[in-house]
Amino acid sequence: MRSSSLNLVIYILRRLAISIPVLLVGTFLSFVMVAATGDPLGELRHNPNISKEALDSLAHKLGLDQGIVPRYFTWLGDFLSGDWGTSIAQGNALQPVAPKVMAAFGVTFKLVVGAEILALVIGIIVGVLAAVKQYSIVDYLATTLAFLLFSMPIFCVAIVLKSYAIEINGWVRDLGLTDILGNPWLRTTSPEQLKTDGVGDFIASTIGAYLLPTLSIMAISFAAYSRFQRASMLEVMNSDYVRTARAKGLGNGRVIFRHAFRNALIPVTTLFSVNFGSVLAGAIITETVFNWHGMGTLLVEAVNKNDTQVMMGWLVVIATSVIVANLIADLVYGILDPRIRVG
């Protein structure tokens, strides 16, 4: 038992040792790409009310008069000390980047975490049932639903859900079934715009605001998780050790959940770690449809204004999230299959 715990600790430290250099390389590449987008002071240089001396002073303050490598290490030192810089875009000038990025990250993170956890749990359940009842009506329905959702772009899912929600809200309003303030239960805007009266109304309104965007993100992820879980479960159930367990007379339930299910989770864990980062970075479509002010909206604004400081903050937060998601997946591998941490 002690040896197993020690192996797990060593495995965790080894994963951390690999993750840190990967994150540093990712931040450097992000810094180079952002620097290549152009002069962040280009818009200000066309402003006749700003003198050349003021622009030169701002360029020196931002390190734009240095080479790319010294600028990166200066930025990295400031970033690690908690100084993420200030926005340089007109209209947002001198606003701290850190609170702006973290506020947007909090909005998107809460939305994506709920959607991905629901998609993972439901996808695993449906995938296992489809594999255990292969070629049954359950399998055919799960396969049809998965391929249907795969074929629909996420913006299409979001728009369809929003359209139906507007129709349902109209029917509900005609029946007089609204909340205390006369608002519909299915919200098509972000929670920031909610007007509530009391704790109960706040909870109901928040659920109504999260429901549609959560379903939009969950639909595509569910399709992927259920198909991967089905394929992985079928592969494991046809393996030698499962056939041996059946030959020993073990019950079907024990064979599935004690011998097959655990190993079948490994590929789905990999997919979840990769998908989480991509969904977190790509939630812009869902946020746009439902008017959420998260990471997607922040990135579009930063790119349009060539606000390099905000772009770097955005990229670092997303890169860190991807690294953390993959690190958690590595740890789950070690729990699901102890041979991985020994290796």
Side-chain angles (χ1 to χ4, degrees):
M1 185 70 177
R2 184 177 180 181
S3 176
S4 178
S5 300
L6 180 61
N7 287 336
L8 181 59
V9 172
I10 294 174
Y11 176 75
I12 294 172
L13 293 176
R14 189 165 62 238
R15 295 290 99 187
L16 284 171
I18 295 173
S19 300
I20 293 173
V22 169
L23 183 58
L24 289 175
V25 171
T27 59
F28 178 73
L29 293 177
S30 298
F31 192 88
V32 171
M33 288 188 292
V34 169
T37 59
D39 182 10
L41 302 181
E43 190 174 350
L44 296 177
R45 296 187 192 281
H46 293 87
N47 191 332
N49 297 321
I50 302 178
S51 65
K52 184 178 183 302
E53 291 75 14
L55 287 172
D56 291 341
S57 175
L58 182 58
H60 178 72
K61 181 180 179 180
L62 296 173
L64 299 176
D65 54 352
Q66 303 177 15
I68 190 67
V69 175
R71 282 169 56 191
Y72 168 72
F73 282 106
T74 300
W75 171 86
L76 181 63
D78 292 340
F79 190 89
L80 293 177
S81 65
D83 180 10
W84 293 21
T86 56
S87 174
I88 58 176
Q90 293 193 46
N92 296 327
L94 303 181
Q95 289 185 5
V97 170
K100 190 180 184 71
V101 174
M102 293 312 297
F105 177 74
V107 172
T108 303
F109 184 78
K110 287 185 288 186
L111 174 62
V112 170
V113 165
E116 285 296 288
I117 290 177
L118 284 173
L120 181 65
V121 172
I122 298 174
I124 288 175
I125 293 173
V126 172
V128 171
L129 289 174
V132 173
K133 299 182 180 295
Q134 189 180 16
Y135 304 131
S136 67
I137 185 64
V138 174
D139 187 19
Y140 288 131
L141 287 175
T143 300
T144 302
L145 178 61
F147 282 127
L148 177 64
L149 294 175
F150 264 134
S151 64
M152 296 177 65
I154 189 168
F155 73 86
C156 182
V157 175
I159 291 174
V160 168
L161 286 175
K162 185 173 183 177
S163 300
Y164 276 110
I166 293 173
E167 291 289 335
I168 293 172
N169 285 336
W171 299 337
V172 170
R173 188 180 288 109
D174 292 340
L175 294 173
L177 301 175
T178 57
D179 64 12
I180 298 174
L181 299 178
N183 298 314
W185 293 108
L186 291 176
R187 306 295 181 122
T188 56
T189 57
S190 68
E192 301 170 4
Q193 304 173 26
L194 294 178
K195 294 181 180 180
T196 59
D197 183 16
V199 176
D201 186 43
F202 172 78
I203 294 174
S205 298
T206 302
I207 292 174
Y210 273 88
L211 181 62
L212 297 177
T214 297
L215 288 176
S216 301
I217 296 175
M218 188 185 79
I220 310 299
S221 297
F222 157 78
Y225 296 144
S226 64
R227 297 308 297 165
F228 263 77
Q229 184 63 50
R230 178 186 182 276
S232 178
M233 196 73 182
L234 287 174
E235 182 180 354
V236 171
M237 289 175 65
N238 291 323
S239 60
D240 292 337
Y241 70 89
V242 171
R243 283 198 293 265
T244 301
R246 292 187 187 279
K248 290 181 178 180
L250 296 179
N252 192 47
R254 188 173 181 183
V255 170
I256 291 172
F257 292 104
R258 184 162 184 172
H259 295 275
F261 178 66
R262 185 170 179 171
N263 288 323
L265 283 177
I266 294 178
V268 182
T269 302
T270 303
L271 177 63
F272 179 80
S273 65
V274 175
N275 193 58
F276 182 82
S278 64
V279 171
L280 191 64
I284 176 173
I285 297 174
T286 304
E287 291 176 2
T288 301
V289 172
F290 294 103
N291 197 25
W292 283 56
H293 302 292
M295 293 293 278
T297 306
L298 180 67
L299 178 63
V300 171
E301 291 178 354
V303 171
N304 287 336
K305 296 179 179 180
N306 197 22
D307 197 341
T308 56
Q309 299 285 357
V310 174
M311 281 192 279
M312 274 308 303
W314 188 95
L315 286 167
V316 171
V317 169
I318 293 297
T320 303
S321 300
V322 172
I323 293 292
V324 170
N326 281 273
L327 179 60
I328 293 174
D330 288 338
L331 301 181
V332 174
Y333 296 155
I335 295 172
L336 294 175
D337 189 349
R339 295 173 299 178
I340 295 177
R341 54 177 114 135
V342 173

